[in-house]
Amino acid sequence: MLVCNQRRAVVSSLTFGNLADISNEVRQSEKQRFGKLSYLYRAIRHIGHNKSLPIRYQFKHEGSHTLKTWFCLITTTKSVGGHVYSASAPGKMHISLLNNIGWRQVIPYFWFALTGNLQNSKAITQLTATSARITSATGQAVTTRIDGDPAVKLPIELTYLTDRFELIVPAVIE
């Protein structure tokens, strides 16, 4: 289980950056009609307008890295939406960063998004960690989304708790 700021559980994912902001603009009717293409359309409209942000990632045993971040995805498992995108790292969070996006990266990023084959991209930085402190290097306000819902602004502290058990809740059958 992943915990944000020692009080908010992250069940599957925490995101921030331009792509997370863009996904807010996609309406339910667009998703139903065009599926994943609706996200691509919104992302293409923002290319060149929204720049990568310098974000500082501090890790307990690995020091600090300031990386250009266009989008950050932090997950509790190695898969998203049924796509395995990362090597297994039991007991750790998976951190994937889209470093920057320009016109040359659109088709490769779209391909990676459709196939979930992110581990082969050279434009995506992947890290694993048990704890992290993430801050905006410039002090700019950056809002996160936890499990798809708007959440806290950076800075955040994340801790992967390995001594917790998984809770499986059965689906309600009507």
Side-chain angles (χ1 to χ4, degrees):
M1 179 171 79
L2 186 60
V3 177
C4 179
N5 293 345
Q6 298 182 359
R7 63 175 214 248
R8 180 140 182 207
V10 178
V11 175
S12 64
S13 67
L14 182 143
T15 61
F16 62 87
N18 293 316
L19 192 57
D21 296 339
I22 290 167
S23 70
N24 290 338
E25 297 175 10
V26 178
R27 293 181 172 82
Q28 188 65 26
S29 60
E30 292 173 327
K31 287 190 272 186
Q32 290 172 343
R33 188 170 179 191
F34 302 111
K36 292 179 182 178
L37 291 176
S38 57
Y39 292 101
L40 176 64
Y41 171 73
R42 294 289 180 169
I44 287 173
R45 290 187 59 204
H46 285 273
I47 292 173
H49 299 290
N50 298 337
K51 302 294 182 198
S52 295
L53 300 170
I55 302 293
R56 184 171 296 116
Y57 300 87
Q58 296 171 291
F59 304 103
K60 188 175 185 178
H61 300 291
E62 298 175 27
S64 175
H65 307 282
T66 300
L67 302 168
K68 285 179 116 182
T69 305
W70 196 77
F71 175 69
C72 179
L73 168 67
I74 301 170
T75 61
T76 57
T77 64
K78 63 181 182 174
S79 64
V80 171
H83 295 291
V84 174
Y85 74 93
S86 180
S88 183
K92 294 184 177 184
M93 68 184 105
H94 297 262
I95 304 168
S96 299
L97 310 172
L98 293 178
N99 305 316
N100 206 355
I101 191 162
W103 288 107
R104 291 188 304 213
Q105 291 95 0
V106 171
I107 292 174
Y109 280 156
F110 183 63
W111 177 252
F112 294 130
L114 283 177
T115 64
N117 194 11
L118 299 178
Q119 68 268 20
N120 295 326
S121 172
K122 293 177 183 162
I124 297 173
T125 301
Q126 291 194 319
L127 308 162
T128 58
T130 56
S131 65
R133 177 170 170 74
I134 302 173
T135 58
S136 169
T138 62
Q140 182 176 351
V142 178
T143 302
T144 65
R145 297 182 67 77
I146 294 177
D147 298 322
D149 297 322
V152 298
K153 293 184 179 175
L154 296 183
I156 58 172
E157 291 190 29
L158 300 171
T159 306
Y160 195 94
L161 303 175
T162 57
D163 59 345
R164 300 292 194 256
F165 61 91
E166 291 185 30
L167 179 63
I168 301 171
V169 180
V172 176
I173 300 173
E174 295 181 24

